[in-house]
Amino acid sequence: MKAAVTSIGVAIILALIFSLPALAQDSGTITITMTGVNEISISLDKTQWPLGAVAADTEQTTSPPIEWCTLTVEGNCNVKTRILGEDARWYKDGVAQNYYWTLSNTNESDISDSVRGHKYMLWFRVRGDNPPDGRGYVLITKEPSEFWPPPSGGSSLAPGDTKQFGLKLLTPTYFVGGRQMQTQITISAVAA
Amino acid sequence: MVGRVKLAGLIAALLVILLPSFTLAQDVNFSVAPAEVHIDNLPLGEAAEFELTIHNKDEIAHVFTFTIFQPPEEDRRKGRTEFPDDSWISFSSQEIEVAANYEANVTVTVAIPREQEWAGEDWETWLGVAAESSDLLGVKLYVRLLVSTNSAMGARSNAGLVIGIVVGIVLLGYGGYYYFRRKAKPE
């Protein structure tokens, strides 16, 4: 009788030893944390640059050249910002057409006019970011690159911080005229 | 040849090119909360859900779209590796229209397959929120999503449960058999 009770007891204990961790595992909690700062936001006070008619192989600069647009950090967290461009596309009556100006990934000095063809170029320049220590005009490409802070280092932007900047565009050496071209430059932000 | 290209460029210059559209200039202003999400101890084979709140601070309605972006290593938090598969993350809607000066929520679900190779990982990926626009300048806000999976796999835990039950039944059976055999024995 004693042995039977003991063996039943051992059986229950062993079963519990094996199964309890498993049961605990199944009822374990997934922790979702919205850590630290809770809102990210940047604003731009200007989003359009209506150029009108442009000639081939000419530079267009925003006016004023460097203080044209103001980026403001609106949220409550420090941010790192990046910028990228895309090909310009022909829009006819608001409908995208199959004709592009390719956004160049190479600086103008590196390629000849004949190679550039339907390629156009975009640059941005942040106020106060001047050579020799700063960057001056920076090429905008289809790969995201640092808007602020610059790759050489520097502080991320804090809530309330502003950065003024301007744009420069070089039209292709040749393009089909009479077409409305449209492109977009995206400025992105992520918590620093 | 170069001269001919330049001449063609001059001819093109006489024609009208517009960049970009004629519409009136506007600013762009919206926010996303939270800016960073940590999911810890996510068991393999299970899903976690959380909400993103998009606040349209503009005076006009906007359609917001959602994307997933794999940041380069230098932009990830320390110790975090690339999130293996974008398809493990889903949004309740791929786009959402938010009226002027209003907020809207979108639910994000993260589900990791039940495979041992994904146990004990610390990943990072970014969730992008952008307002659809034909303007020259656009804004995209990224939410950092940091996911850590359980180091133990659920299947192993279930195996433990099964083994425990089997051992228990065997021992109970043996104990019961032994007890009744002893009881049935004539004194």
Side-chain angles (χ1 to χ4, degrees):
Chain A
M1 175 67 185
K2 229 180 196 177
V5 172
T6 309
S7 68
I8 290 168
V10 168
I12 291 167
I13 288 164
L14 280 171
L16 286 174
I17 286 170
F18 279 104
S19 60
L20 274 182
L23 291 169
Q25 188 75 43
D26 283 351
S27 61
T29 49
I30 304 164
T31 315
I32 300 178
T33 322
M34 318 298 191
T35 52
V37 289
N38 58 12
E39 185 185 65
I40 184 168
S41 177
I42 58 169
S43 69
L44 302 171
D45 71 347
K46 207 165 282 154
T47 57
Q48 297 197 351
W49 184 21
L51 283 172
V54 295
D57 201 18
T58 55
E59 275 189 6
Q60 312 288 326
T61 309
T62 51
S63 177
I66 303 174
E67 299 89 4
W68 172 72
C69 180
T70 303
L71 179 154
T72 306
V73 180
E74 302 274 357
N76 55 12
C77 64
N78 287 17
V79 295
K80 288 179 177 177
T81 54
R82 302 174 3 139
I83 189 167
L84 89 158
E86 62 180 27
D87 296 340
R89 193 166 189 183
W90 173 31
Y91 278 79
K92 188 180 179 187
D93 302 324
V95 180
Q97 308 292 316
N98 195 23
Y99 172 73
Y100 298 87
W101 291 356
T102 305
L103 180 62
S104 175
N105 278 334
T106 316
N107 259 314
E108 181 191 12
S109 55
D110 300 335
I111 51 174
S112 65
D113 284 355
S114 57
V115 172
R116 195 153 64 82
H118 287 230
K119 284 184 178 174
Y120 80 109
M121 293 180 169
L122 280 169
W123 294 265
F124 73 95
R125 184 169 180 173
V126 178
R127 186 182 177 197
D129 188 14
N130 303 320
D133 298 328
R135 296 176 293 176
Y137 275 106
V138 180
L139 194 70
I140 300 172
T141 67
K142 287 187 265 188
E143 288 297 318
S145 59
E146 289 86 352
F147 181 81
W148 200 269
S152 55
S155 305
S156 54
L157 296 172
D161 280 357
T162 61
K163 281 288 166 197
Q164 288 184 303
F165 67 97
L167 301 170
K168 187 169 77 172
L169 177 146
L170 177 64
T171 58
T173 52
Y174 176 77
F175 53 76
V176 179
R179 293 180 173 180
Q180 180 174 312
M181 304 301 291
Q182 198 168 297
T183 189
Q184 189 162 56
I185 298 166
T186 303
I187 298 180
S188 62
V190 67
Chain B
M1 176 63 189
V2 173
R4 267 165 54 190
V5 169
K6 280 195 169 167
L7 180 63
L10 284 172
I11 293 166
L14 300 174
L15 302 171
V16 177
I17 303 297
L18 302 169
L19 181 91
S21 62
F22 276 122
T23 49
L24 292 171
Q26 294 160 352
D27 59 358
V28 56
N29 194 350
F30 68 98
S31 70
V32 179
E36 189 164 323
V37 178
H38 289 238
I39 300 175
D40 297 325
N41 303 317
L42 181 56
L44 303 176
E46 292 192 21
E49 277 187 4
F50 61 92
E51 283 193 339
L52 292 181
T53 303
I54 295 99
H55 185 184
N56 179 11
K57 300 175 182 177
D58 270 353
E59 297 303 318
I60 56 167
H62 281 298
V63 172
F64 293 92
T65 55
F66 307 100
T67 52
I68 298 162
F69 175 73
Q70 298 295 347
E73 191 177 354
E74 63 269 21
D75 286 332
R76 291 196 289 259
R77 296 286 192 223
K78 200 178 171 189
R80 295 281 166 173
T81 56
E82 187 178 331
F83 196 83
D85 193 334
D86 290 353
S87 69
W88 299 350
I89 300 171
S90 58
F91 298 91
S92 54
S93 171
Q94 278 305 310
E95 58 177 45
I96 188 169
E97 184 169 0
V98 185
N101 295 307
Y102 259 82
E103 287 184 357
N105 291 336
V106 64
T107 303
V108 182
T109 306
V110 182
I112 310 300
R114 198 186 188 93
E115 289 168 24
Q116 184 62 45
E117 64 178 307
W118 309 124
E121 296 286 341
D122 295 306
W123 296 311
E124 176 170 348
T125 190
W126 293 359
L127 310 177
V129 182
E132 274 187 355
S133 166
S134 59
D135 290 356
L136 174 67
L137 284 179
V139 167
K140 184 175 269 191
L141 301 176
Y142 286 113
V143 174
R144 286 184 189 267
L145 173 59
L146 296 95
V147 180
S148 297
T149 56
N150 254 353
S151 53
M153 198 172 156
R156 201 175 67 188
S157 304
N158 289 343
L161 179 67
V162 170
I163 290 168
I165 291 167
V166 167
V167 169
I169 289 168
V170 167
L171 287 174
L172 275 171
Y174 174 73
Y177 169 76
Y178 185 74
Y179 172 70
F180 287 115
R181 198 173 154 211
R182 285 281 300 271
K183 208 178 174 187
K185 230 178 204 177
E187 293 290 323

